[in-house]
Amino acid sequence: MKRLTFALLSWVMLFCFAMGTAWAQDKPTAPTFDPAAGAVPSGTVVHLTNGYESEATPKPIYFNYKADPSNFTNIKTKTELDKASTGSALFRKVNLYDPATGIEIITAKNVFAATADIDAAGNVTWSDIVTAAYTIAVVDPVAPVFSPDGGEVGDDNNTVTLTMSKADEAAYCDIYYVVNGTGHEFNVSSASGLPFNEPGQEGVLILYQDPIKITKNQTIHAAVVRTEEEDEYMNAPLVWSEVVKKEFTFTGTPVAEKPTQPVISPANDARVKIGQMVTIRCETEGVTIRYTTNGEDPTAESTVYTEPFALTEDMLIEQKILGRDDAVVGVVYALKINAVAFKDGVMSNIAGVGLNVSPNNPVFTPDGSEEVDANSTMTITCVPSQAKIYYTLDGTTPDDEGSNAMLYTGPIKLTETGTTVKARAILGQYAGSVTAATFTFKEGTVPEIAAPAFSVAAGEVEKGTEVTITCATTGVYIMYTLDGSTPTLASSVYQKPIVIEKSLTLKAAAFFQGKSSAVTEAAYTVKEATGTVAVPTFDPVAGEVEKDTKVTIACATEGAKIYYTVDGSEPTAESAEYKEAVVIDKDLTLKAIAIKGDAKSAVAEAAYTVKVANEEVELAGVNVYPNPNGGAFSLDLPVPATVEVFASNGVLRERINAGAGVLSLSLDRSGIYFLRITGEGRTTVKRIVVR
């Protein structure tokens, strides 16, 4: 019996051991990473293994880039797994690992992986979830690869292609080359010294963009360059690969020599004026130069250049700059001249300059060199006609449409001898020089000044009566007072009829050339209806005012008391009595009533709003990358926004309405651009360089 018990116990233990071994194998082996986590060159391919590769049906490995283990463990069945790993990689919960492609590491990221054991019933058991954090190692660029690798080239294979390593592509490197140079041309230390465009000349550094065409025996030096860091002003230091030299022997049909690219003067970005002369030259002899002045590329049908020509007004290119709600916020004026040289049917590279246009100096007629008649007029003209002219009559410099400057719209009447007129023209964002002249009157041309006349005679008048003041002498200034004092040049200038709201004494005098007329005077009293009280008046009247403006309240009825409210309620004798000016420090409605004895006036009412500084809030959180770039770049938009792309001369290239998130864009020409991003009433401007 003991022997049977022992045998039975041994069998149970053996069974449990076997089952325990099977249970321990229910959880599959976790994957391993090759290479291991850490710093790796951009473009490195990571491979995953889990020890089951030798089996007839190896267990699949899944991975993703999210740190949430539930992306794996929440998947319990084969159906769920298939659904979770289908669709765009950006939206998958898990990705099935493919040994043929591996996992390419372009940017720093964490990779999470696990092995899936799928039984016959379709149930999924996961291994432990393992992770590997990869960062991008900074390595020096690798020399470019030539195809073909030097040697003979003919008519059928006369182009040379340059390629860089995948890691250098991921690091946004560029390839530069020199045709028939020495190799020393790569001695450039910062990004500011790199050319944006291909000059098309031998012995100079050229940005590689398209395959190089071989038409004669040539030596080509090439290297890959990476900026050490990025900054707004392109001052980043450079890291160069080894400079590779290849020699090519051309065995094909000889072609005519390509003319040298023309040179245009004034140079690109120069500031010019209408009438300035333009010259175009080419170092290659015997060429025909053709040019355009409208921004289009010249062709064999364009104007032939024979001698220097003057810039004219009709060459101006006008571009409106739009702001929020497509409102015009500015105008840019520029000139664009392009030129090309032809010889023996071969065309040079196109030369182009963008010129910034300043207005010419204003011209006065008459010019102030001789005396003029009193009250005569003078005109101001300027080239180009699109320029705005601002002028002053007090001898100060007209900077813009500020308090001391007026926009010229027509002839100016000269009403005082010794008047100094200064004028300056503004075209877009550029201002011209100041033209100045002092005008003096001929002796005997200043007339006697007639006394002003009032349209309403002195005496008792209705409340609200309007009094017009005129003077028989033209060109005078009429000055007036309402407090009985004698008017001087420091008094109020008459511009519109005087409204009689209360009893007062009106005095007026006319002034011209330092001379004054006699003073005209009239005393007015306001009729008061029996048993009524005049409605209170406010000064200033309702509307938008500065913060802390003081409003005075008056009543034409003598002896009446004024009561007021500032909360919009109707004033009564129980309201606050007016004794001093009411301070407006917030938006409010002021109401007032005048009471004398048992008589009450009607309620006067005025709504005031406090001016708020118009400060534009910048749209934060916009990120542009890479910058500089090879033509393709992306924007991180925190909110839905309108993205406008402007060239450096202000020309709008593109406008896109985009949602929040990543927006990818591309530009087909090198240069400096500005991006204006507007969203939710906020705007920011980004500068980007395309190489």
Side-chain angles (χ1 to χ4, degrees):
M1 184 65 181
K2 290 182 180 180
R3 186 177 301 170
L4 178 61
T5 302
F6 178 77
L8 181 61
L9 180 61
S10 298
W11 181 86
V12 171
M13 292 176 64
L14 181 61
F15 175 78
C16 291
F17 177 77
M19 290 301 293
T21 302
W23 293 335
Q25 292 177 345
D26 283 347
K27 192 173 188 179
T29 303
T32 57
F33 294 85
D34 181 23
V40 296
S42 181
T44 297
V45 176
V46 174
H47 294 282
L48 301 177
T49 58
N50 56 12
Y52 298 108
E53 288 77 5
S54 61
E55 295 184 1
T57 305
K59 292 181 173 59
I61 303 173
Y62 290 84
F63 70 96
N64 67 13
Y65 305 114
K66 297 181 181 295
D68 186 356
S70 64
N71 286 328
F72 294 93
T73 57
N74 284 348
I75 299 172
K76 303 295 187 182
T77 68
K78 178 68 166 55
T79 301
E80 294 173 347
L81 182 57
D82 290 341
K83 183 178 180 181
S85 60
T86 301
S88 171
L90 292 175
F91 301 101
R92 293 176 187 165
K93 288 186 177 180
V94 295
N95 304 279
L96 177 62
Y97 171 71
D98 185 354
T101 59
I103 303 171
E104 188 175 26
I105 305 298
I106 300 297
T107 59
K109 59 179 58 181
N110 296 330
V111 181
F112 297 84
T115 302
D117 188 359
I118 307 171
D119 63 18
N123 299 310
V124 178
T125 302
W126 290 100
S127 70
D128 291 335
I129 301 170
V130 291
T131 181
Y134 291 96
T135 58
I136 301 304
V138 179
V139 296
D140 289 342
V142 178
V145 175
F146 282 74
S147 178
D149 192 30
E152 293 185 352
V153 294
D155 292 335
D156 296 332
N157 62 333
N158 64 346
T159 56
V160 176
T161 302
L162 302 178
T163 56
M164 69 177 78
S165 69
K166 207 161 193 178
D168 289 339
E169 285 184 359
Y172 301 105
C173 295
D174 289 311
I175 300 175
Y176 279 85
Y177 69 96
V178 176
V179 178
N180 291 344
T182 63
H184 297 293
E185 294 82 4
F186 296 89
N187 187 23
V188 178
S189 59
S190 70
S192 59
L194 288 173
F196 285 137
N197 301 308
E198 177 185 340
Q201 299 177 8
E202 294 189 347
V204 298
L205 205 60
I206 301 172
L207 173 64
Y208 177 78
Q209 294 175 309
D210 299 304
I212 307 166
K213 190 172 184 178
I214 305 295
T215 58
K216 62 180 180 179
N217 295 344
Q218 290 179 326
T219 299
I220 299 178
H221 291 79
V224 175
V225 64
R226 186 190 74 238
T227 53
E228 193 67 27
E229 58 188 37
E230 303 293 351
D231 71 1
E232 182 179 0
Y233 300 103
M234 295 292 295
N235 294 322
L238 302 178
V239 178
W240 290 95
S241 72
E242 175 190 0
V243 178
V244 181
K245 173 184 176 183
K246 300 293 180 182
E247 295 182 350
F248 295 89
T249 302
F250 184 64
T251 61
T253 305
V255 297
E257 188 75 15
K258 185 176 184 178
T260 304
Q261 184 182 46
V263 176
I264 304 172
S265 180
N268 190 48
D269 282 337
R271 191 182 297 189
V272 298
K273 294 183 178 181
I274 299 301
Q276 187 164 337
M277 302 302 291
V278 176
T279 60
I280 309 175
R281 60 183 176 83
C282 181
E283 294 181 358
T284 304
E285 295 181 357
V287 299
T288 299
I289 299 175
R290 295 182 180 270
Y291 70 96
T292 60
T293 59
N294 58 2
E296 296 181 358
D297 289 342
T299 67
E301 305 300 322
S302 299
T303 304
V304 176
Y305 174 82
T306 56
E307 61 183 0
F309 60 89
L311 297 173
T312 59
E313 187 171 314
D314 59 3
M315 296 178 185
L316 277 180
I317 298 174
E318 176 183 312
Q319 175 62 50
K320 292 180 174 60
I321 300 177
L322 303 179
R324 295 178 183 175
D325 301 324
D326 290 336
V328 178
V329 298
V331 178
V332 174
Y333 294 92
L335 290 167
K336 180 67 175 175
I337 299 174
N338 293 327
V340 68
F342 291 90
K343 184 177 182 180
D344 299 330
V346 180
M347 186 180 77
S348 72
N349 285 357
I350 296 175
V353 295
L355 304 175
N356 303 309
V357 182
S358 294
N360 293 13
N361 295 345
V363 176
F364 293 169
T365 304
D367 60 8
S369 60
E370 297 180 354
E371 291 183 339
V372 298
D373 292 336
N375 287 329
S376 61
T377 59
M378 57 91 65
T379 60
I380 310 175
T381 56
C382 181
V383 175
S385 59
Q386 293 90 337
K388 292 182 178 180
I389 303 173
Y390 293 92
Y391 70 97
T392 60
L393 301 176
D394 58 3
T396 58
T397 300
D399 293 324
D400 50 30
E401 59 263 57
S403 58
N404 71 322
M406 297 169 282
L407 175 64
Y408 178 79
T409 57
I412 300 171
K413 192 169 187 178
L414 301 171
T415 59
E416 186 173 351
T417 191
T419 297
T420 296
V421 182
K422 290 186 176 182
R424 167 180 278 159
I426 297 177
L427 182 68
Q429 72 271 45
Y430 295 114
S433 301
V434 174
T435 298
T438 300
F439 296 88
T440 56
F441 292 165
K442 295 176 182 178
E443 186 176 353
T445 61
V446 179
E448 291 297 324
I449 305 173
F454 298 158
S455 61
V456 178
E460 191 176 48
V461 296
E462 298 290 342
K463 186 177 184 296
T465 297
E466 294 185 351
V467 179
T468 301
I469 308 176
T470 58
C471 181
T473 304
T474 60
V476 299
Y477 291 103
I478 299 176
M479 315 302 289
Y480 71 93
T481 62
L482 300 175
D483 58 2
S485 61
T486 300
T488 67
L489 286 172
S491 302
S492 299
V493 62
Y494 174 77
Q495 294 176 312
K496 60 183 179 179
I498 309 298
V499 180
I500 308 300
E501 297 285 356
K502 61 181 180 180
S503 298
L504 54 82
T505 297
L506 173 63
K507 290 185 177 182
F511 293 84
F512 181 75
Q513 280 297 294
K515 299 173 64 175
S516 172
S517 71
V519 175
T520 302
E521 176 180 347
Y524 299 98
T525 57
V526 175
K527 294 179 181 179
E528 185 174 325
T530 305
T532 62
V533 179
V535 179
T537 58
F538 302 135
D539 184 20
V541 297
E544 189 178 48
V545 297
E546 300 290 343
K547 191 175 186 296
D548 295 330
T549 294
K550 293 183 178 180
V551 177
T552 57
I553 310 176
C555 179
T557 302
E558 294 185 6
K561 291 185 178 181
I562 301 172
Y563 300 89
Y564 70 96
T565 63
V566 294
D567 58 1
S569 61
E570 295 299 311
T572 66
E574 304 300 321
S575 302
E577 182 179 354
Y578 173 77
K579 294 184 178 180
E580 59 183 4
V582 179
V583 178
I584 308 298
D585 57 2
K586 62 181 179 180
D587 295 352
L588 56 83
T589 297
L590 177 61
K591 291 186 177 182
I593 190 172
I595 299 176
K596 184 177 182 181
D598 295 331
K600 298 180 181 180
S601 72
V603 174
E605 178 178 342
Y608 295 93
T609 57
V610 175
K611 292 182 180 179
V612 178
N614 185 20
E615 297 181 356
E616 185 172 311
V617 180
E618 183 175 4
L619 177 62
V622 177
N623 184 31
V624 183
Y625 57 90
N627 187 11
N629 60 74
F633 58 95
S634 299
L635 289 81
D636 286 334
L637 300 176
V639 297
T642 298
V643 179
E644 296 169 295
V645 183
F646 292 91
S648 59
N649 63 356
V651 175
L652 178 65
R653 292 289 304 275
E654 191 173 2
R655 179 185 290 115
I656 308 104
N657 294 320
V662 178
L663 173 63
S664 296
L665 296 174
S666 63
L667 293 168
D668 57 358
R669 299 190 67 177
S670 303
I672 297 175
Y673 296 84
F674 295 91
L675 309 178
R676 179 171 55 209
I677 303 100
T678 304
E680 295 185 351
R682 296 168 293 164
T683 299
T684 188
V685 176
K686 298 291 184 180
R687 179 178 182 273
I688 190 165
V689 176
V690 176
R691 301 194 303 215

